[in-house]
Structures are given as C-alpha cells and as structure tokens.
C-alpha cells in the first residue's frame, strides 16, 4: 500500500505524490483504505520531520487539485458516446481527491492556510454533484474546513454551506438513483452540529454565531464583456442577522420533524434512537448557548418520541449544561418518562386510564431500562438541589 502512495525521493519515506493509482480505483472501498493509509503516514511524517514536509505537501496538494479540476480536456479526445464513461472517471478522481483533502486538513498544520480559499472553492463546487457519494464527502468536509479557519470561512463560505446542509436534510438536493442505498441525511445532521461548534470556537478564531459578521461575496466575471480596471470582483455586505440566525428556524424545524418520526425500527419492533439527530441538537445547542433557550423544551418533548436510550440521556446532559435555565425542566421530564416506563404505560395511556378511573397494569421492567436509570443518577442529585431551594 505504501508503494502506491509514497516513493523514495531524497530522504527515506519522504512523501512524493505520483499519479493517482489507489485513489483512481473504481472501487470506493479501495479509495477509502488508501486515504486511511495516507492519514497514518502523514501523521508519522509530520511528527518526525515537519520542517522537511513543505515540498512533499505541495506536490500532494497539486495532484489533489488536479483531481478536483479534472475536465474533458485532460482526458484527451473522447469517442462519441463516451460521455458517461468520462463522467464516471471524473467522479472517481473527484472522490479520491476529496478524501485526500480531508487528510491534508487533518495533518498539514498551517500549510493549508495560504491555499485555504482555493481548496474551499474547489470542494464546494461539488455540492451540486449528482452522485451522492461525492456529496457525502463534501458534507463531511464542510465542518472540517470551517474548523481550520472559522473567520475566513464565515465571511465567504458559511452561507452556501448552510444552504447545502439544510437542503441535503430536506431532500431538495439531487436525489440518488433508485439503486443507491446511501442516505446522506445522518451525515448532514452531524455536519450541521459540528459546523456550529467550529464557528463558535473562540480559540480557532470563531465567536458568537448569532452575531452578524461581514460577508465577502464573489461577483462572477462576464465572459462576453471586457472587464475594466474598476470592475469589483467582490461585494462586501453586513446584514442585520447572522447566517445561523437566518437559518435557526429551519434547522430546529428539521431536528424536531425527524425526532417526531421516532427513528427506525429493528426486527423486534423496538424503536432505534436517531443518534445523528440527537448529536446535532446537542452540538447546536452548545454552540448557541442561551440563544437556544426558546427552542429547547419544545424539542426535548419531541426527543422522547423515540424512547429512552443512552444517546437520549447523553444529549439531555449536554443540553442541560449548555442551557442552565432548562435544566430543572429537563430533569423533571426525564423522571416523568422513567415513571411511565416503570408503570408499563405511555403518557397518553396513563391519562386515558386516569379518565376511566382505572389502574395501569404493571409490566415487567425491560432489562435495558436499568442501564438508562443508572445513567440518570447523577441528574437526581442536581434535581434535589433545585427542589430544596426556596
């Protein structure tokens, strides 16, 4: 595998990227495994000889950009009717290059900063790609790009990125073929939460995502007209609301709607919690802080539609830490749900039996419920402290 990725050039194991072999393989699993191998090699080399890695990284970056910008002219003259074959080759090279871009972001340190705009433009142009496998890698790259340089990313690329992520969840993007079994929505949910955290990371240059920031928009250059010296290639604007504030209602609506669906159902008929949606909600609330307070309790109620689970408990803990004003309400609702489970009834069933002056039958406690109850022991002490306060 190493012989496919690196070849000797000067010092031993000095990486020198040569034409895409593993990354042009028609099998996606081979390309993913090649990316994993590249990741391990770059981690070792950057730790041992960081100062001598600039030239190899430049070569690696150049070949990666060639894969992202691969066009029909690069493939030479094509026979008639081979447009589908070229599209397949182009998609393979683009997918492999996107995998390489992810590893460069992860391991190259400050090497990527002078090339950050070039990489963002090249990656985001695949947001409209008809192949779901390509869009899936773009979804994963969006929060990683934002985390690397949140200030620049917020000014130029945050708005189209949020539109892409929301559209991927809502299903307004190009839908996969009938034969495709890839669902990009879980990855899109995860990326929204990670993107919010990346943009709110003050150590990396981010800040309050609800505060409007300056946007720098690119003006397309007209092809059929001469451009004078006074042509403005960029437009600078400052809106009244931030990009996240404009999309706040849409994001919380998508989270609530997917939680109300109750997730998937396994063979035994038990509901499987949508951990991707719960994780998105927890990360998004953490990034918003007190700004999420008006939305928290309504969505917390929707979270219980998928049943108790360890993912649900962890999400509730995170939300309670991020929004202290909602902690007491979350703890009371959680203990209420546990009481319903121990009584062997749901909220609606319990109310209906009360109306008929009946008594709910006690059912055997699910063994899995014991682990859920033990996970909220830490919450009980906090709840008692609140209840004992005057």
């Amino acid at each position: 595998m190493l012989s496919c990725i690196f070849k000797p050039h000067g010092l031993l194991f000095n990486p020198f990227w040569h034409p895409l072999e593993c990354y042009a393989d028609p099998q996606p699993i081979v390309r993913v495994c090649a990316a994993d191998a590249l990741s391990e090699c770059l981690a070792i080399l950057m730790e041992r000889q960081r100062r001598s890695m600039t030239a190899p990284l430049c070569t690696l970056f150049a070949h990666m950009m060639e894969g992202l910008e691969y066009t029909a002219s690069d493939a030479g003259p094509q026979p008639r009717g081979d447009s589908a074959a070229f599209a397949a080759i182009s998609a393979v090279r683009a997918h492999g290059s996107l995998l390489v871009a992810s590893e460069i972001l992860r391991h190259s340190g400050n090497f990527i900063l002078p090339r950050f705009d070039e990489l963002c433009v090249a990656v985001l142009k695949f947001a409209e790609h008809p192949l779901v496998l390509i869009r899936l890698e773009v979804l994963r790259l969006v929060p990683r790009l934002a985390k690397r340089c949140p200030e620049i990313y917020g000014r130029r690329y945050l708005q189209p990125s949020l539109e892409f992520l929301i559209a991927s969840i809502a299903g307004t993007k190009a839908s996969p073929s009938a034969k495709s079994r890839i669902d990009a929505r879980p990855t899109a949910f995860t990326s929204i939460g990670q993107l919010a955290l990346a943009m709110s990371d003050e150590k990396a240059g981010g800040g309050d995502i609800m505060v409007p920031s300056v946007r720098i928009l690119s003006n397309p250059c007209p092809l059929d007209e001469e451009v004078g010296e006074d042509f403005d290639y960029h437009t600078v604007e400052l809106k009244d609301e931030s990009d996240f504030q404009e999309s706040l209602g849409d994001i919380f609506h998508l989270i609530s709607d997917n939680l109300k669906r109750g997730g998937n159902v396994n063979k035994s008929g038990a509901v499987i919690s949508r951990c991707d949606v719960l994780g998105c909600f927890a990360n998004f609330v953490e990034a918003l802080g007190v700004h999420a307070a008006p939305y928290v309790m309504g969505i917390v109620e929707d979270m219980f539609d998928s049943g108790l689970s360890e993912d649900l408990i962890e999400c509730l803990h995170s939300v309670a830490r991020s929004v202290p004003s909602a902690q007491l309400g979350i703890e009371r609702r959680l203990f209420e749900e546990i009481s319903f489970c121990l009584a062997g009834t749901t909220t609606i069933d319990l109310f209906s039996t009360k109306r008929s002056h009946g008594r709910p039958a006690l059912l055997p406690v699910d063994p899995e419920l014991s682990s859920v109850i033990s996970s909220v022991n830490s919450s009980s002490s906090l709840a008692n402290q609140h209840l004992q306060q005057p």
Side-chain angles (χ1 to χ4, degrees):
M1 178 62 72
L2 290 179
S3 63
C4 296
I5 300 177
F6 301 116
K7 68 178 182 179
H9 183 74
L11 298 176
L12 183 62
F13 292 121
N14 192 1
F16 186 83
W17 185 259
H18 58 98
L20 303 175
E21 293 181 6
C22 294
Y23 293 93
D25 192 277
Q27 297 297 326
I29 185 62
V30 177
R31 302 195 292 270
V32 172
C33 290
D36 291 339
L38 175 64
S39 177
E40 296 297 329
C41 293
L42 284 178
I44 295 173
L45 291 169
M46 290 297 292
E47 181 181 357
R48 293 182 179 179
Q49 49 185 46
R50 178 180 292 268
R51 294 183 179 179
S52 60
M53 287 294 293
T54 302
L57 285 174
C58 287
T59 305
L60 177 62
F61 183 84
H63 285 285
M64 178 203 69
M65 292 302 298
E66 288 179 6
L68 294 176
E69 299 171 356
Y70 185 72
T71 60
S73 59
D74 300 325
Q78 297 290 322
R80 290 184 178 180
D82 279 2
S83 58
F86 169 76
I89 296 174
S90 177
V92 166
R93 296 196 62 168
H95 181 244
S97 296
L98 289 172
L99 292 172
V100 175
S102 179
E103 302 308 327
I104 290 179
L105 281 171
R106 184 177 302 174
H107 298 293
S108 65
N110 293 332
F111 166 82
I112 200 63
L113 293 181
R115 306 159 182 86
F116 185 75
D117 281 313
E118 183 182 3
L119 179 59
C120 289
V121 172
V123 169
L124 292 177
K125 75 176 184 179
F126 289 99
E128 302 291 338
H129 199 279
L131 190 62
V132 65
L133 189 64
I134 302 295
R135 300 199 306 274
L136 197 64
E137 290 305 321
V138 178
L139 288 171
R140 292 169 178 158
L141 273 168
V142 163
R144 296 175 186 176
L145 288 167
K147 184 177 181 180
R148 190 63 193 87
C149 195
E151 185 176 4
I152 296 177
Y153 198 87
R155 290 178 178 176
R156 298 188 176 185
Y157 312 106
L158 180 58
Q159 182 181 14
S161 298
L162 278 175
E163 293 175 353
F164 169 56
L165 294 176
I166 293 174
S168 298
I169 297 175
T172 57
K173 282 292 174 187
S175 58
S177 63
K179 296 182 180 179
S180 177
R181 298 181 179 179
I182 301 177
D183 187 3
R185 289 176 299 174
T187 304
F189 269 116
T190 302
S191 296
I192 285 182
Q194 293 177 348
L195 176 62
L197 286 178
M199 296 302 300
S200 63
D201 187 0
E202 296 182 356
K203 294 182 179 179
D208 191 343
I209 61 176
M210 297 294 284
V211 176
S213 61
V214 174
R215 293 177 182 172
I216 302 178
L217 307 177
S218 299
N219 293 329
C221 180
L223 300 177
D224 55 347
E225 300 179 6
E226 293 185 0
V227 178
E229 296 181 357
D230 57 344
F231 180 78
D232 193 358
Y233 289 90
H234 297 90
T235 300
V236 180
E237 65 177 16
L238 178 62
K239 290 191 174 182
D240 296 333
E241 295 182 340
S242 68
D243 294 319
F244 275 103
Q245 191 171 2
E246 291 179 351
S247 306
L248 201 61
D250 294 334
I251 294 174
F252 278 121
H253 172 73
L254 289 171
I255 292 174
S256 175
D257 182 61
N258 280 267
L259 287 173
K260 288 178 181 178
R261 295 177 184 178
N264 299 322
V265 179
N266 61 16
K267 296 180 179 179
S268 61
V271 178
I272 303 174
S273 176
R274 293 298 302 270
C275 60
D276 51 305
V277 186
L278 294 174
C280 172
F281 179 57
N283 290 336
F284 197 53
V285 170
E286 181 179 349
L288 288 172
V290 294
H291 300 293
Y295 302 90
V296 166
M297 292 310 301
I299 295 184
V300 164
E301 191 65 32
D302 298 331
M303 292 167 62
F304 287 94
D305 290 346
S306 59
L308 288 176
S309 65
E310 292 291 343
D311 294 323
L312 174 64
I313 303 302
E314 292 178 5
C315 180
L316 292 175
H317 275 294
S318 177
V319 172
R321 288 194 301 266
S322 303
V323 186
S325 61
Q327 179 174 326
L328 184 57
I330 291 174
E331 291 168 349
R332 286 177 173 174
R333 181 64 183 88
L334 179 58
F335 287 122
E336 182 182 86
E337 187 71 18
I338 293 175
S339 300
F340 295 149
C341 292
L342 292 174
T345 182
T346 62
T347 307
I348 299 177
D349 292 336
L350 184 59
F351 290 157
S352 63
T353 54
K354 281 185 176 181
R355 294 191 189 100
S356 60
H357 303 285
R359 183 177 181 180
L362 296 180
L363 301 180
V365 179
D366 190 342
E368 296 182 358
L369 184 60
S370 59
S371 62
V372 175
I373 296 175
S374 63
S375 65
V376 300
N377 286 337
S378 58
S379 298
S380 61
S381 60
L382 295 175
N384 290 332
Q385 293 177 7
H386 282 287
L387 293 175
Q388 291 174 2
Q389 291 178 356

